[in-house]
Amino acid sequence: QVQLVESGGGLVQPGGSLRLSCLASGFTFSDFVMSWYRQTPGKERELVALIRSGGSTTYADSVKGRFTTSRDNAKNTVYLQMNSLKPEDTAVYYCNARLLVNYWGKGTLVTVSS
């Protein structure tokens, strides 16, 4: 049974940091492209960051220089380190696994507010 379980969301002040984790199970994690998406009410889900099986990464322009994604294949986990958070980063963040098929987590809420 495929599972993606995100954790690490919460309330943080502007300028603060959070680290999201996504624990995967039920598939060969190391083969998959792992991505982080986010979504706010009334908007489409948008790609934030992805990391390929070989470790190369891609980021949305809005988070470049502030967010870093990494993966630990031994732990079947992908991470999103978010620094210098802004109110506009407030969203539900979803973990995605892709390799011909798409798997999604249920999301974790990040709220950036003073």
Side-chain angles (χ1 to χ4, degrees), residues 30-47:
S30 58
D31 288 345
F32 277 64
V33 176
M34 299 301 299
S35 303
W36 291 95
Y37 285 75
R38 66 187 181 188
Q39 189 170 26
T40 54
K43 292 190 176 181
E44 290 191 1
R45 197 170 292 188
E46 65 170 353
L47 177 67

Side-chain angles (χ1 to χ4, degrees), residues 10-67:
L11 174 64
V12 63
Q13 291 188 343
S17 298
L18 280 176
R19 188 174 85 151
L20 305 183
S21 301
C22 172
L23 176 62
S25 60
F27 60 97
T28 308
F29 177 82
S30 58
D31 288 345
F32 277 64
V33 176
M34 299 301 299
S35 303
W36 291 95
Y37 285 75
R38 66 187 181 188
Q39 189 170 26
T40 54
K43 292 190 176 181
E44 290 191 1
R45 197 170 292 188
E46 65 170 353
L47 177 67
V48 175
L50 70 83
I51 182 165
R52 300 170 183 85
S53 58
S56 63
T57 55
T58 298
Y59 297 93
D61 287 343
S62 59
V63 306
K64 279 181 183 176
R66 301 188 298 122
F67 291 11

Side-chain angles (χ1 to χ4, degrees), residues 47-110:
L47 177 67
V48 175
L50 70 83
I51 182 165
R52 300 170 183 85
S53 58
S56 63
T57 55
T58 298
Y59 297 93
D61 287 343
S62 59
V63 306
K64 279 181 183 176
R66 301 188 298 122
F67 291 11
T68 303
T69 189
S70 60
R71 64 193 298 162
D72 185 336
N73 291 336
K75 295 183 178 179
N76 282 4
T77 301
V78 61
Y79 304 98
L80 184 67
Q81 177 66 44
M82 305 186 294
N83 298 329
S84 302
L85 282 160
K86 304 175 181 179
E88 51 263 43
D89 294 318
T90 295
V92 177
Y93 284 71
Y94 296 91
C95 179
N96 170 268
R98 176 172 55 86
L99 182 64
L100 301 181
V101 294
N102 263 305
Y103 302 132
W104 291 94
K106 293 183 178 180
T108 185
L109 177 63
V110 172

